[in-house]
Amino acid sequence: MATCHLQSFWVLFLAVSRYFAHTTSTSHVHIVYLGINQIHDPILTSKFHIQVLSDVFASEEDAKRSILYSYSNSFSGFSAKLNSSQATILASMDKVVSVFRSKTLKLHTTRSWDFLGLTLDEARVTPMEFTNGQDVVVGIFDTGVWPESESFQEKPGMRPIPSSWKGVCVEGEKFEPAKACNRKLIGARYYLKGFEQEYGPLNMSEADILAAFDDALHDGVHVISASFGATPPLSPFFASSADIGSFHAMQLGIAVVFSAGNDGPEPSLVQNVAPWSLCVAASTIDRSFPTEIVLDSNFTIMGQSIISKEIKGRLANAITYFVDGVCSLGNWNRKLATGRVVLCFYTPGLVYEIAQVAVKTAKGLGLIFAEPFTKPIADVDADIPTLHVDINQGTIIGNYLAESLKLPVVQISRSKTIIGKSPAPTVVYFSSRGPSSISPDILKPDITAPGINILAAWPPGTPPTLQPSDDRLVRWNFQSGTSMSCPHVSGVGALLKSVHPGWSPAATRSAIMTTAYTRDASHDSILAGGSMAGSTPFDMGAGHINPLKAMDPGLIYDMKTSDYILFLCNMGYTQERIERIVLPSPGVDTNCKNMHGPNANINYPSISVPNLRSPITIKRTVRNVGCGKKTTVYFGVAKEPNGVEVVIWPRVLIFSPSKQEISYYITLKPLKKSEGRYDFGEIVWSDGFHHVRSPLVVLVNNSNDFTM
Ligand SMILES: *[C@@H]1O[C@H](CO)[C@@H](O)[C@H](O)[C@H]1NC(C)=O
Ligand SMILES: *[C@@H]1O[C@H](CO)[C@@H](O)[C@H](O)[C@H]1NC(C)=O
Ligand SMILES: *[C@@H]1O[C@H](CO)[C@@H](O)[C@H](O)[C@H]1NC(C)=O
Ligand SMILES: *[C@@H]1O[C@H](CO)[C@@H](O)[C@H](O)[C@H]1NC(C)=O
């Protein structure tokens, strides 16, 4: 983010995933994943990869030609162009954990790009200010960086690059290391081979992502921020570069923060759901852009937009230009709307982007779009200025129009910026929702953070609307999406790393989650965008991030290797596979026969039970990270999900200098016959000062059972 005084390491992808061409060859880029690196010498590991690959090629030369990346720094694997029979043979080998086709991943930024130009008063933007975080290196995986931006200039007094840093600043297109890298932007690499093999020269991909993880882990980053993902259906965990890379990062103590995706508000489309990473939803901040609509000089209605120039014309109803008043190109009756602002209503499928194209084609002056929920996104006004109003306001405007003898004069003033707007935060309608479609017993997303209308550095060579017809040059632009909320959480992760260098990624995640808030600025429950109801944990996970509280969480739910092994066993991985991917450590049992209990027993900071038939008891262990020098007493309170009895025992946890870690149990008992609906509650431990909160999500599924 623009104002983090953090030293950042950027992993560059110079290409976007939107364009892909078809390939005629029957060979495709595959990733062959071999698990932990057993050899500990990158050169010998790469030789070993060629040797493995040679088994499915006529010669070693052919094998060398087909290999793209040898992942040998931080884990073992390679990517290569393979046909289906070669892939099948490799997958059957004992030393191979998984083989999968390299996919093109999607960037988690919405297509609603917003523009305000250079007139914005930067001082009024309220991003998070960090005064801490020195010597923490954040690895950011993105499609590019414009190092000349003020956002990446080192500030006087920034400390030298940490001596633990082993990364480099690689030369790229229009990217000169000597000018680009400094004490803030300390390194950059880019990866294209996987994409080029599959789709031709210079355009991104998964094989490249895994190479980025392999290097980033080796280079010494502390936190990785990754705003991409693959749309569901989700791949098994070890057939996904993001999940493999983040698993190895976690084992090295590096927290990985992913965006949840922008596929909401329908349920079950959340991405990046592994229990070893953090998954971030997006919410609004307390800033809005009210825009006045004045009819006939005497009737005013407020819309939402970013309009930088006053607009004056006549207001007309969509029915004049579109069959049935539905503003789509297919319904246009070829009548021109020159000089007119057109009032269009949402109908199912008619998103405002479609109406914009239609009204623009009809040569309209502007668009007032009435929709069920006013979209909080500040809109592109380059092509056709658009005001968002809700259905009630739209109805009032429509009725005024119907009663007017001639078309009313409409005056739209420049948008204002208002800070302190309520309700805020609200989870944005497009933020991807839980439950996880692959492991609903791990609650995802984990947390929500600001992801709407975020002002960020913008490359001057790229039009703010991404449209070729747009010839403006800007240094800053508004962007929206979970890819904007993800770096906020990575920044907080870096902050926590600098304050608590010894914390594991799970401890960091626990601090972020258990201190999150669930009430908005007016003390009401945080609204879910796209509905008129409060958010559930499927919208926002544990709630909205609270960086200052996260520094002093009181208690921590840490995770041990055995938690991850339990999860992998429950997901069907065999002992042999698990031993290939888990770094060996003394006393760790990898035998699934000795692993008992559902995923709900993993020491996660939230609790999700998606199939409660009869009473179950779940175990959790908390560690006191508050003042350890004196005795601290915590009391547990449960808010019961509807129709579920919750008993916590013991109810009182007494921490002392010699006893900092205590386990407790939660018994859940269904009190109703039900199926197919989730209910929500929470568990809170408090010592009077800290409130350590865990969301509790339960689906009672017993309506087909004979007895209760
Ligand atoms: C795959 O490639 C190998 C080695 O070039 C070749 O022997 C085999 O016939 C190919 N299989 C298919 C299905 O194309
Ligand atoms: C790359 O993108 C260009 C522009 O869209 C397209 O014409 C070309 O086919 C693409 N090829 C690759 C590299 O995907
Ligand atoms: C003000 O609005 C009313 C309708 O509400 C209309 O009759 C009147 O002419 C408008 N006045 C002006 C000055 O346009
Ligand atoms: C509920 O349990 C039944 C088996 O009795 C199972 O088939 C079904 O998938 C479960 N429903 C949910 C939502 O888990």
Side-chain angles (χ1 to χ4, degrees), residues 26-27 56-59 62 82-87 89:
T26 52
S27 286
V56 295
F57 279 97
S59 69
D62 286 353
L82 302 172
N83 65 29
S84 56
S85 47
Q86 292 168 314
I89 297 169

Side-chain angles (χ1 to χ4, degrees), residues 104 232 353 374 646:
T104 303
E353 291 93 335
T374 311
V646 181

Side-chain angles (χ1 to χ4, degrees), residues 167-479:
V168 290
C169 195
V170 177
E171 194 163 334
E173 191 197 9
K174 297 188 195 160
F175 191 91
E176 289 175 55
K179 284 191 206 152
C181 291
N182 55 41
R183 287 180 181 191
K184 186 170 186 184
L185 179 68
I186 65 175
R189 294 174 184 268
Y190 64 92
Y191 305 85
L192 304 163
K193 280 193 230 167
F195 194 96
E196 293 188 352
Q197 279 297 321
E198 197 81 350
Y199 302 118
L202 243 185
N203 274 0
M204 157 174 135
S205 175
E206 204 167 12
D208 302 324
I209 300 278
L210 205 53
F213 267 106
D214 191 34
D215 284 339
L217 303 190
H218 169 262
D219 287 350
V221 304
H222 299 107
V223 177
I224 288 174
S225 190
S227 297
F228 54 77
T231 347
L234 302 180
S235 306
F237 288 100
F238 291 95
S240 144
S241 288
D243 293 331
I244 293 172
S246 55
F247 187 80
H248 288 280
M250 174 276 294
Q251 296 194 87
L252 297 174
I254 299 163
V256 183
V257 184
F258 284 108
S259 40
N262 299 326
D263 299 316
E266 288 76 18
S268 303
L269 295 174
V270 63
Q271 309 169 19
N272 297 316
V273 297
W276 46 84
S277 56
L278 246 156
C279 172
V280 186
S283 41
T284 62
I285 53 179
D286 65 344
R287 178 178 56 186
S288 70
F289 303 96
T291 307
E292 226 174 44
I293 306 167
V294 180
L295 301 178
D296 289 337
S297 317
N298 68 2
F299 184 78
T300 304
I301 268 208
M302 281 291 179
Q304 284 282 327
S305 186
I306 291 191
I307 304 272
S308 50
K309 270 198 283 248
E310 195 167 291
I311 297 164
K312 191 170 178 181
R314 294 226 171 233
L315 182 67
N317 203 315
I319 196 78
T320 313
Y321 311 101
F322 301 97
V323 178
D324 298 330
V326 176
C327 300
S328 68
L329 266 186
N331 282 357
W332 184 36
N333 64 16
R334 309 259 143 206
K335 196 170 156 186
L336 291 180
T338 314
R340 307 268 152 91
V341 174
V342 182
L343 173 68
C344 294
F345 274 78
Y346 165 87
T347 55
L350 184 84
V351 293
Y352 72 84
E353 291 93 335
I354 294 176
Q356 280 177 323
V357 172
V359 172
K360 189 195 172 199
T361 310
K363 299 233 175 335
L365 180 64
L367 165 67
I368 298 179
F369 194 73
E371 58 204 328
F373 303 98
T374 311
K375 301 279 186 281
I377 305 179
D379 198 13
V380 177
D381 73 357
D383 277 352
I384 184 96
T386 303
L387 282 101
H388 299 266
V389 296
D390 65 28
I391 294 280
N392 301 6
Q393 291 171 310
T395 305
I396 294 170
I397 300 173
N399 289 345
Y400 184 93
L401 203 51
E403 284 164 17
S404 301
L405 295 176
K406 54 178 191 181
L407 294 182
V409 173
V410 59
Q411 262 176 294
I412 297 166
S413 42
R414 286 170 53 165
S415 306
K416 295 191 173 72
T417 307
I418 289 191
I419 292 176
K421 182 214 169 221
S422 194
T426 64
V427 177
V428 189
Y429 69 97
F430 62 68
S431 183
S432 292
R433 306 307 213 261
S436 157
S437 53
I438 190 167
S439 48
D441 32 22
I442 301 290
L443 177 67
K444 293 282 170 172
D446 292 305
I447 193 84
T448 188
I452 270 284
N453 305 330
I454 302 301
L455 189 68
W458 190 257
T462 306
T465 53
L466 299 179
Q467 302 296 325
S469 60
D470 185 355
D471 57 6
R472 294 167 304 172
L473 306 177
V474 298
R475 290 180 301 140
W476 306 88
N477 196 3
F478 280 110
Q479 295 174 64

Side-chain angles (χ1 to χ4, degrees), residues 80-121:
K81 274 199 113 163
L82 302 172
N83 65 29
S84 56
S85 47
Q86 292 168 314
T88 308
I89 297 169
L90 284 168
S92 69
M93 292 179 177
D94 275 349
K95 46 189 166 267
V96 172
V97 177
S98 55
V99 177
F100 53 98
R101 277 272 303 268
S102 176
K103 283 190 271 195
T104 303
L105 302 176
K106 218 164 94 183
L107 288 173
H108 286 166
T109 308
T110 63
R111 58 207 153 98
S112 305
W113 302 82
D114 316 302
F115 172 70
L116 191 55
L118 302 170
T119 54
L120 189 88
D121 177 1

Side-chain angles (χ1 to χ4, degrees), residues 633-668:
V633 182
Y634 274 86
F635 294 90
V637 177
K639 190 196 265 175
E640 295 180 332
N642 182 40
V644 180
E645 183 186 270
V646 181
V647 177
I648 308 175
W649 45 283
R651 290 276 309 277
V652 181
L653 305 180
I654 304 171
F655 298 90
S656 65
S658 60
K659 192 172 189 190
Q660 296 292 348
E661 203 166 271
I662 303 179
S663 295
Y664 72 91
Y665 300 86
I666 307 153
T667 299
L668 302 175

